[in-house]
Amino acid sequence: MTARVTRYITTMQRNMRRVSGFLIFVFPCYRKGDYGMGKIKTGAYNPLPVAPMVLVGATVSGKPNYMAVGFVNGVNIKPAIVYVSLNKRHHTPTGIIENGTFSINIPSADYVIETDYCGLVSGKNVDKSNIFTTFYGELGSAPMIEEFPITCECRYTGQKVEFDMDTVYFGEVMQVYINEEVLGADGKIDVLKVNPIYFSGLENRYRALGEDLGPGWHIGKQYTPKQGTAEAEPRGPKYQCSIVERCAQPALTIRSRVAPAELAATIGQSAATVFLFARDNGSTPSGALFVAYHGFDGQGLDIEIGFPFMPGIEGRGNIHLSEIPGGKAASYRHVGSYEKLPEVRTALEQWLSINGYVVCGATYEIYLNDPQTTAPEKLETEILYPLLPGS
Ligand SMILES: Cc1cc2nc3c(=O)[nH]c(=O)nc-3n(C[C@H](O)[C@H](O)[C@H](O)COP(=O)(O)O)c2cc1C
């Protein structure tokens, strides 16, 4: 009897480790308490009801290997960075380190059995290379699954975070491959056609996509603030952006990290350097001076200063070929002194957020006239926010 119980516990522990924490919270134990609105404490565990199910692929000792993963998601839009959290005992991480690449393969519900199987057996003991048809993309070493509607190849960024059981690996998505059949009439991925699998750790079940509840970054606009609560900023027309579609413009820029106090001087110097370099090479800018603000780390601003040019221009040394990105953008023309720009940008960013627009990448200020010859109140600056498509 004792031997049977020990065997049972050992098997259970092995299974728990195998799914990397997922089964640990399958049967939470509820305890009634006094936590307002009838809430009960249920313990410390991952309460996310569902996770998208994927197979992470890597080449291990020359062979494609795929494992089931629910700890997966995106962490940055541009560049597209994803993470996968993998138990240290698994076979797949060896391949990620070996080649510096991995793939994420999104199965359709038709492949739920094969997907689960890849989570039940390890490449250490079982050859999983012939379950699917494997293809390789641009990276050459991240195996991808032909049968799955969406796959992508990732370059391991070299960044990882170690926890007791799992290691979180970050990867940059280098290319996404889709099966044409999952494209909708508008040429975009139709998620219903993909028919992805979700794993519900809370109940240990696979589930398919549910009801359509409305568009993201939009439906929240229907929210009516509770009585007596003012909106953060009125939607009034004072700082309303125009939403535009832009073509990408090639540009020559100098990228620098500067203290805010050095900003004006750096803009002047870099603008002159780029302008003179282009002139000496027989080119003139096709548009006005601009600064792209990539970020501020508390001490320094990460900025790019330059001019747009016609295609074909090339940089040299610290003058780089860059671009003012194309696509959907929010644009606002500020008329007035440059000193007002931070205040205007704060108000615009509130307007964008209230109206459900998601800014994606650097913010651009394009200085449309010359501060040497224009009165401060007549200066014109276009402020440009590239937007996440669909927001
Ligand atoms: C539903 C499900 C979700 C899983 N999620 C993860 C996960 O997020 N991370 C992980 O390390 N293992 C996860 N696993 C377990 C691995 O897929 C499994 O241990 C696999 O056999 C490892 O394969 P490998 O040793 O060939 O790499 C999951 C398994 C299942 C069934």
Side-chain angles (χ1 to χ4, degrees):
M1 178 68 178
T2 320
R4 262 178 54 202
V5 171
T6 314
R7 222 173 26 242
Y8 174 75
I9 291 173
T10 317
T11 313
M12 219 170 77
Q13 283 172 339
R14 202 170 44 230
N15 285 342
M16 281 178 167
R17 270 193 239 108
R18 190 183 290 154
V19 299
S20 183
F22 268 100
L23 278 187
I24 289 168
F25 47 78
V26 168
F27 305 113
C29 167
Y30 300 121
R31 197 156 56 83
K32 272 205 183 286
D34 187 15
Y35 303 103
M37 305 288 290
K39 293 259 182 228
I40 48 175
K41 276 191 184 180
T42 64
Y45 54 89
N46 175 354
L48 300 179
V50 287
M53 236 7 250
V54 305
L55 291 188
V56 170
T59 302
V60 192
S61 310
K63 257 195 189 158
N65 190 65
Y66 300 102
M67 68 174 279
V69 169
F71 284 153
V72 53
N73 221 314
V75 288
N76 195 59
I77 295 172
K78 210 171 162 191
I81 306 289
V82 291
Y83 78 85
V84 291
S85 180
L86 310 181
N87 191 290
K88 296 178 199 307
R89 293 150 36 110
H90 296 333
H91 196 49
T92 312
T94 314
I96 297 179
I97 299 298
E98 235 177 65
N99 303 294
T101 61
F102 63 92
S103 68
I104 294 178
N105 303 271
I106 295 150
S108 70
D110 301 339
Y111 287 96
V112 67
I113 292 172
E114 290 83 349
T115 300
D116 193 58
Y117 179 71
C118 288
L120 290 171
V121 297
S122 171
K124 284 182 181 165
N125 318 309
V126 176
D127 180 1
K128 293 190 258 183
S129 67
N130 57 5
I131 303 173
F132 307 104
T133 317
T134 290
F135 75 99
Y136 289 90
E138 292 165 5
L139 294 176
S141 58
M144 287 175 280
I145 299 175
E146 223 170 87
E147 291 85 346
F148 285 11
I150 305 179
T151 63
C152 70
E153 52 181 341
C154 305
R155 187 184 54 79
Y156 169 46
T157 64
Q159 292 157 299
K160 57 180 179 169
V161 181
E162 304 264 1
F163 291 96
D164 284 353
M165 290 169 70
D166 288 12
T167 303
V168 183
Y169 298 88
F170 293 91
E172 180 174 352
V173 177
M174 304 309 288
Q175 196 57 256
V176 179
Y177 301 85
I178 58 169
N179 288 356
E180 250 182 321
E181 309 88 75
V182 299
L183 288 180
D186 58 0
K188 293 184 182 158
I189 294 174
D190 179 340
V191 180
L192 280 179
K193 290 185 177 173
V194 175
N195 196 12
I197 304 171
Y198 294 90
F199 180 65
S200 165
L202 294 177
E203 50 179 4
N204 188 29
R205 289 214 80 77
Y206 293 108
R207 291 193 170 275
L209 207 60
E211 224 181 303
D212 178 357
L213 300 177
W217 311 108
H218 277 285
I219 196 162
K221 292 177 197 170
Q222 293 172 17
Y223 176 72
T224 321
K226 288 181 185 136
Q227 270 196 338
T229 325
E231 274 189 5
E233 175 78 4
R235 285 166 190 242
K238 192 177 169 199
Y239 288 120
Q240 203 155 345
C241 291
S242 310
I243 305 301
V244 295
E245 279 292 331
R246 290 178 55 96
C247 291
Q249 286 176 284
L252 287 184
T253 61
I254 296 178
R255 192 156 179 167
S256 326
R257 189 174 170 282
V258 292
E262 296 159 12
L263 182 62
T266 310
I267 293 175
Q269 281 157 15
S270 300
T273 309
V274 173
F275 186 86
L276 294 174
F277 166 80
R279 194 196 59 187
D280 293 348
N281 287 281
S283 295
T284 43
S286 60
L289 170 69
F290 72 88
V291 176
Y293 292 86
H294 288 274
F296 180 60
D297 64 8
Q299 289 175 328
L301 285 157
D302 176 7
I303 52 170
E304 239 183 307
I305 300 155
F307 293 93
F309 287 89
M310 297 307 284
I313 191 89
E314 278 177 21
R316 192 184 310 142
N318 67 338
I319 301 174
H320 299 286
L321 178 60
S322 179
E323 65 168 17
I324 303 179
K328 189 173 175 181
S331 159
Y332 179 81
R333 186 174 284 223
H334 164 69
V335 180
S337 75
Y338 293 155
E339 273 88 73
K340 289 270 283 178
L341 282 169
E343 184 193 315
V344 175
R345 275 178 55 175
T346 304
L348 287 175
E349 280 151 31
Q350 269 178 5
W351 182 88
L352 287 166
S353 152
I354 287 168
N355 287 282
Y357 293 108
V358 183
V359 178
C360 159
T363 301
Y364 290 76
E365 283 181 4
I366 305 171
Y367 308 103
L368 299 170
N369 43 16
D370 183 353
Q372 312 280 357
T373 56
T374 313
E377 67 278 9
K378 293 204 171 134
L379 287 171
E380 291 189 25
T381 310
E382 183 182 3
I383 304 172
L384 199 65
Y385 295 95
L387 296 177
L388 185 70
S391 75

